[in-house]
Structure formats: structure tokens, C-alpha cells
């Protein structure tokens, strides 16, 4: 592809490169540059791509996209924003593959992953679609699972993935859209046919600074879609609706006046049931994932389905036969008279929602085991400690991806929010030991929630990612008990 075709939609301040140069690819990592590619000098948080222009040239870069011209200034295209430039150049190099598919984006603090998997299930079972999925649990092309590092990949990787999906015959893409991806232009140039807003609670304030800035980042999605589906029950819904330039569709389990509503909600340890109401039509449905928030997740999927023209009854049927999602209130088999659940809830609001939902369906004690990740938002640590102490009968505070922080220091900050509840607090720094202790102490009717890791099968200690799968740990503990 000619350079002029790749840069036609970006702001060009100056150009010393030949527009007719044949470009074989777009790359933002100087270590991975191949001969003939356009190297984009993106400014990162820890390094500046402009420093690596000489390396990119040594590796054969045919042209450089930059904000500041190097000393010799040769073969360069100067723009004012290389992040945005990377997104638009990548989109155009790969032929705008997202435009060949129906794209559904899901944003919010909690519920994105569950909603995305349920949406994929709805499209596959009721539309016979081949669906691409991009999110926290991994990326999928139909049934093929791909590796992932970020909830939303860097823009160049995202466009390459879109091209893979389109070439593989995907008619639809369902993707989680993080606030980082919106702020950092990873999804710039992508138009969403339907966008879904689930909820907003404290998270990523180490990046955004304030809840208002965090919400504003999420809201960007609704200026880039045709239809937006909004959770009217959430307190930030009005803020999201006020900034939306798309057609609006609302859903709610509690608020009156929403386009899609749930009534006669029934909660149990095995899932939720409710009657969905839309424009005078009603349909009974059920979702085999416990917790009142599962009603909101199901409504989010049904709202997106309705926005795509799928009948209410089909949406309801799809929820009834949907399976659970790995790491989202996932039941771990124990063969005992107590329940072990694994859930990814690692934020204050998510932990509160899960514990509040489990409380009324727990016959014995509600036990929660959790920690907080290192090198991340420290403000939430005492908040999560306070929530756990208020809602659980026993709280086991342990480690969770300490990264470069001292694990006991993180635990100390969690305990600061639990100072009034020492009698229900147990500290075991080693997570495997903590899980073993919880299972050893289990009584009939107890519910043990292993919170924070969810689908993850590793623990990050220092800069090392170590294998650690809670399902395997539970199985090993049970095996030892049965000896």
C-alpha cells in the first residue's frame, strides 16, 4: 500500500517522505520493525518512541510517523498526535475491517466480560452468526481462543485482529471497551453499531484522577456509535445519557420509564429469573448466574439484542440456555455440603455487589477471601476491607498480584478499613495457604467466595508471572482431605 493511502486521514504537519513509497506494514515497537514498514513514534508512559527512530531505521523502516522531526528529518511524516495517527493509519492499512462487521462495544466498571460472553451466545444461537470477541478473559474468533494482554489491545493490534476476524468470516464482533482504550485512542476510527453502558464505580483513579474524568472517558464511546444502551439503574446513567450523541435505549431492573424493564425478579443460589417487559410485550427468562447484578447483565444483553432487531422472546430464550462465564461467580466442584465460588471482583463496587447478592442465598456463613493488586489504585484498599467486613461473616485477607509492592504492606492498607472487625478477620499472606485454610474450616451451608483472580491462572510477584490457578488449588486441597 502506498504511504499516501495510509496517511490520508491523519493531520499531516509536514512530509519529507515520498508519498508513493510502498509500505508493507505499520509498527509502533522498534524491536519488531520489519523492512518496508511505517514506524510510528508513540510517546508512552515509560519511554518515548522518538528515541527509537534510529533503531527502527536500522531495521528497515521505510518511513517514520512522528511528532518531532529527528535531526536529519528524512523520510518522515510529522503529525500532532502519534497515538491517534497510529490508530487511523492502522485502520486504513488493514482496510477498515471493522466496517465489514457489526461491532458491539461494552463499557463500564463491572459486568463487561459477562455481558460480552452472553452477547456472543445470543448472536450465535439466535442469529447463527460467527462472532469475534475481544476482552479480559481472552480474544476469540468463533470457537478459537487467542492470547490477550489488555482488555482492549493497542490500536495497531486491534485493527490486525479485526482483519483476522473479518477474513475468518465473522459477521459480528463483541468487545469490551476500557476507559484506557478510549483515553489513549486505541479504538479511534472504529464505529460501533451498538454500545452498552453497564455501570460506573471507583476504579482506575491512578490513571484518570477523578471519577468525573473516568466517567468522561467512558462517555466517549457514545459519540462513536449508532445506538447506545444505558443502565438506567446506575447513578452515572444521566451523565452518560447527557453526553451521548447516538440514539438512546435504556434498560433497568428498578427504575421506571426504561425502554426495557425487569419485573418479578427472583433470586436463588443457582441463578436469577425475571419477566422482561418491552413495548407492551413480556417474556419470562432466567440466567444461571447468581446475584442481583445478573439481572442487569442479562438486561444489557437483551437491550443490545433488541437494538440489533432480535425479538424479545429470542433474547429471553438465549439467556435461559446460556452457561456461566469462567471466573464470574464460577462454581468450583467440591462434592461437599458447602459452596466455593470464584469471581473476578477486584473493585469496591464489584465486591459489594457480589457479597450483597450472595448474602440472602447463603444458609451458613458467607466467607470471602481477597487481596488487592500492587502498583494499582491504593485508595480502594481500605474501602474494600470495610465492605468485606460489613457484608461477610469471615474475611480472609491475602495476596493478589502484589507486583513490585510488599504484600504485607498492601494487606496493612486493606486492614485499615477493617479496624472495627478484628474478630472476623484472618490474615494469611500466601494465597494458596489461605485457600486451603478456608476449605479446611468450611461448615455445611457455607459459601466461600475467592475474590479477585477470576479467570486469571497466574500471580504476578515482582515482575514475574507465576502459574496459580485457584481451581487447581481447590482440587489439590480436596485431594489431600480425601486421603
Amino acid at each position: 500500500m502506498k504511504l499516501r493511502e495510509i496517511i490520508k486521514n491523519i493531520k499531516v504537519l509536514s512530509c519529507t517522505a515520498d508519498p508513493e513509497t510502498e509500505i508493507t506494514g505499520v509498527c509502533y515497537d522498534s524491536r519488531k520493525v520489519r523492512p518496508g514498514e511505517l514506524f510510528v513514534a508513540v510517546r508512552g508512559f515509560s519511554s518515548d518512541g522518538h528515541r527509537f527512530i534510529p533503531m527502527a531505521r536500522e531495521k528497515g523502516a521505510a518511513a517514520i510517523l512522528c511528532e518531532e522531526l529527528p535531526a536529519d528529518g528524512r523520510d518522515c511524516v510529522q503529525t500532532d498526535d502519534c497515538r491517534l495517527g497510529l490508530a487511523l493509519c492502522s485502520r486504513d492499512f488493514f482496510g477498515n475491517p471493522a466496517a465489514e462487521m457489526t461491532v458491539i462495544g461494552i463499557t463500564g466498571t463491572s459486568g463487561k466480560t459477562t455481558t460480552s460472553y452472553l452477547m456472543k451466545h445470543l448472536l450465535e444461537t439466535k442469529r447463527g452468526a460467527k462472532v469475534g470477541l475481544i476482552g479480559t478473559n481472552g480474544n476469540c474468533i468463533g470457537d478459537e481462543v487467542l492470547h490477550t494482554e489488555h482488555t482492549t489491545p493497542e490500536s495497531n493490534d486491534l485493527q490486525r485482529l479485526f482483519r483476522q476476524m473479518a477474513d475468518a468470516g465473522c459477521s459480528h464482533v463483541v468487545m469490551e471497551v476500557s476507559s484506557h482504550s478510549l483515553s489513549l485512542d486505541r479504538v479511534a476510527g472504529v464505529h460501533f453499531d451498538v454500545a452498552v453502558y453497564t455501570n460506573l464505580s471507583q476504579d482506575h483513579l491512578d490513571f484518570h484522577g477523578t471519577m468525573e474524568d473516568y466517567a468522561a472517558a467512558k462517555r466517549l464511546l457514545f459519540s462513536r456509535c449508532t445506538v447506545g444502551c444505558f443502565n438506567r439503574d446506575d447513578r452515572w446513567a444521566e451523565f452518560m445519557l447527557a453526553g451521548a450523541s447516538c440514539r438512546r435505549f435504556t434498560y433497568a431492573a428498578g427504575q421506571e420509564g426504561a425502554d426495557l424493564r425487569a419485573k418479578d425478579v427472583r433470586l436463588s443460589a443457582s441463578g436469577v429469573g425475571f419477566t422482561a417487559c418491552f413495548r407492551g410485550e413480556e417474556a419470562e427468562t432466567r440466567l444461571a448466574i447468581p446475584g442481583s447484578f445478573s439481572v442487569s447483565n442479562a438486561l444489557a444483553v437483551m437491550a443490545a439484542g433488541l437494538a440489533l432487531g432480535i425479538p424479545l422472546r429470542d433474547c429471553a430464550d438465549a439467556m435461559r440456555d446460556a452457561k456461566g462465564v469462567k471466573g464470574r461467580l464460577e462454581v468450583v466442584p467440591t462434592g461437599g455440603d458447602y459452596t466455593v465460588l470464584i469471581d473476578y471482583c477486584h473493585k469496591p463496587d464489584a465486591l459489594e455487589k457480589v457479597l450483597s447478592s450472595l448474602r440472602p442465598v447463603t444458609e451458613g456463613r458467607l466467607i470471602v477471601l481477597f487481596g488487592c493488586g500492587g502498583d494499582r489504585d491504593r485508595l480502594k484498599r481500605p474501602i474494600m476491607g470495610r465492605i468485606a467486613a460489613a457484608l461477610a461473616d469471615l474475611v480472609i485477607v491475602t495476596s493478589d498480584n502484589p507486583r513490585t509492592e510488599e504484600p504485607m504492606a498492601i494487606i496493612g492498607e486493606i486492614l485499615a478499613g477493617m479496624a472495627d472487625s478484628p474478630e472476623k478477620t484472618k490474615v494469611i499472606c500466601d494465597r494458596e495457604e489461605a485457600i486451603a485454610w478456608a476449605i479446611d474450616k468450611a461448615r455445611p451451608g457455607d459459601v466461600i467466595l475467592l475474590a479477585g483472580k477470576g479467570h486469571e491462572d497466574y500471580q504476578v510477584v515482582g515482575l514475574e508471572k507465576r502459574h496459580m490457578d485457584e481451581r487447581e488449588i481447590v482440587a489439590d486441597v480436596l485431594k489431600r482431605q480425601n486421603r
Side-chain angles (χ1 to χ4, degrees):
M1 181 179 283
K2 304 291 187 185
L3 177 63
R4 60 177 167 75
E5 297 175 287
I6 297 173
I7 63 173
K8 64 184 178 182
N9 287 309
I10 68 169
K11 184 176 181 180
V12 176
L13 301 179
S14 67
C15 182
T16 59
D18 181 356
E20 297 302 312
T21 300
E22 196 68 34
I23 299 297
T24 59
V26 179
C27 186
Y28 62 94
D29 186 338
S30 60
R31 298 166 297 182
K32 299 178 181 179
V33 171
R34 292 176 296 186
E37 291 188 326
L38 171 68
F39 173 67
V40 184
V42 176
R43 298 186 193 277
F45 295 105
S46 58
S47 63
D48 184 348
H50 291 76
R51 290 173 47 209
F52 303 101
I53 291 175
M55 180 188 292
R57 282 175 166 168
E58 286 177 16
K59 287 182 172 288
I64 307 294
L65 181 65
C66 55
E67 294 172 20
E68 293 181 15
L69 294 172
D72 60 17
R74 63 182 173 84
D75 297 328
C76 288
V77 179
Q78 186 181 23
T79 188
D80 61 349
D81 187 341
C82 276
R83 281 196 178 276
L84 179 59
L86 176 65
L88 298 182
C89 288
S90 298
R91 178 196 64 183
D92 292 343
F93 176 79
F94 286 107
N96 195 10
E100 300 172 25
M101 302 174 284
T102 298
V103 183
I104 300 101
I106 301 165
T107 199
T109 304
S110 303
K112 295 189 297 297
T113 299
T114 298
T115 302
S116 66
Y117 273 83
L118 292 174
M119 190 74 218
K120 182 174 185 284
H121 172 74
L122 170 62
L123 292 168
E124 289 172 339
T125 57
K126 299 304 177 183
R127 281 296 177 265
K130 184 170 184 178
V131 182
L133 185 141
I134 303 171
T136 309
N137 270 23
N139 300 329
C140 303
I141 299 179
D143 295 329
E144 181 188 359
V145 180
L146 310 175
H147 174 70
T148 182
E149 289 289 345
H150 303 288
T151 298
T152 312
E154 186 53 79
S155 58
N156 180 255
D157 304 314
L158 177 64
Q159 293 296 336
R160 180 180 290 106
L161 183 56
F162 280 151
R163 174 45 61 200
Q164 283 181 262
M165 291 175 170
D167 289 350
C170 290
S171 57
H172 293 71
V173 177
V174 180
M175 64 181 294
E176 298 179 43
V177 185
S178 67
S179 57
H180 286 72
S181 73
L182 289 158
S183 296
L184 299 174
D185 283 328
R186 289 179 189 160
V187 292
V190 178
H191 181 77
F192 295 84
D193 295 276
V194 177
V196 178
Y197 168 69
T198 59
N199 52 63
L200 198 75
S201 59
Q202 182 174 323
D203 196 26
H204 301 308
L205 297 192
D206 53 331
F207 178 79
H208 295 288
T210 67
M211 284 296 293
E212 286 70 22
D213 286 345
Y214 179 37
K218 294 284 191 187
R219 192 166 68 176
L220 289 172
L221 181 60
F222 301 97
S223 62
R224 305 174 184 181
C225 68
T226 302
V227 184
C229 300
F230 301 86
N231 179 7
R232 204 68 191 253
D233 291 325
D234 185 73
R235 68 187 185 93
W236 286 91
E238 292 305 320
F239 178 87
M240 294 294 167
L241 285 161
S245 57
C246 58
R247 182 158 61 87
R248 300 166 177 84
F249 188 105
T250 59
Y251 64 93
Q255 293 284 335
E256 294 292 331
D259 296 302
L260 173 66
R261 293 189 304 108
K263 71 175 186 179
D264 302 328
V265 174
R266 303 170 297 281
L267 307 178
S268 73
S270 59
V272 299
F274 61 91
T275 303
C277 308
F278 174 65
R279 294 180 180 171
E281 184 182 358
E282 295 188 354
E284 286 293 319
T285 192
R286 189 178 187 284
L287 181 60
I289 305 174
S292 56
F293 50 84
S294 289
V295 178
S296 292
N297 290 341
L299 286 172
V301 176
M302 296 173 74
L306 289 166
L308 290 170
I310 301 174
L312 177 65
R313 194 152 300 281
D314 284 351
C315 293
D317 288 345
M319 295 303 96
R320 262 198 300 272
D321 58 28
K323 308 298 181 189
V325 178
K326 184 179 181 181
R328 268 60 181 182
L329 279 180
E330 176 186 352
V331 179
V332 183
T334 65
D337 49 9
Y338 57 91
T339 302
V340 176
L341 300 169
I342 293 177
D343 194 86
Y344 191 50
C345 54
H346 59 285
K347 308 157 192 166
D349 182 65
L351 183 64
E352 183 174 16
K353 285 179 178 176
V354 170
L355 290 174
S356 297
S357 294
L358 293 176
R359 177 83 275 171
V361 296
T362 300
E363 296 177 3
R365 297 173 301 167
L366 179 54
I367 301 169
V368 60
L369 179 151
F370 83 104
C372 287
D375 303 332
R376 297 294 187 270
D377 184 5
R378 294 177 60 182
L379 297 176
K380 71 180 183 182
R381 295 171 185 174
I383 297 172
M384 291 183 69
R386 186 162 57 251
I387 289 168
L391 297 176
D393 299 304
L394 175 62
V395 182
I396 305 167
V397 186
T398 187
S399 187
D400 182 348
N401 292 339
R403 299 184 178 88
T404 63
E405 288 194 62
E406 172 57 45
M408 283 305 300
I410 299 173
I411 288 172
E413 294 186 4
I414 295 171
L415 294 175
M418 306 173 65
D420 297 333
S421 307
E423 74 288 347
K424 62 164 65 175
T425 305
K426 178 73 175 179
V427 175
I428 304 176
C429 187
D430 184 282
R431 196 172 183 102
E432 292 189 33
E433 291 181 15
I435 293 172
W437 188 88
I439 294 174
D440 286 340
K441 301 297 181 183
R443 302 173 189 167
D446 285 352
V447 171
I448 301 171
L449 174 67
L450 308 182
K453 300 298 293 176
H455 62 283
E456 294 178 351
D457 59 1
Y458 59 84
Q459 181 87 304
V460 183
V461 181
L463 300 177
E464 180 186 359
K465 182 182 284 190
R466 302 175 182 174
H467 179 76
M468 193 198 76
D469 190 321
E470 294 187 325
R471 297 150 199 81
E472 295 174 4
I473 295 171
V474 172
D476 288 344
V477 173
L478 295 173
K479 192 181 297 181
R480 289 199 302 272
Q481 286 181 344
N482 291 334
R483 289 194 189 119

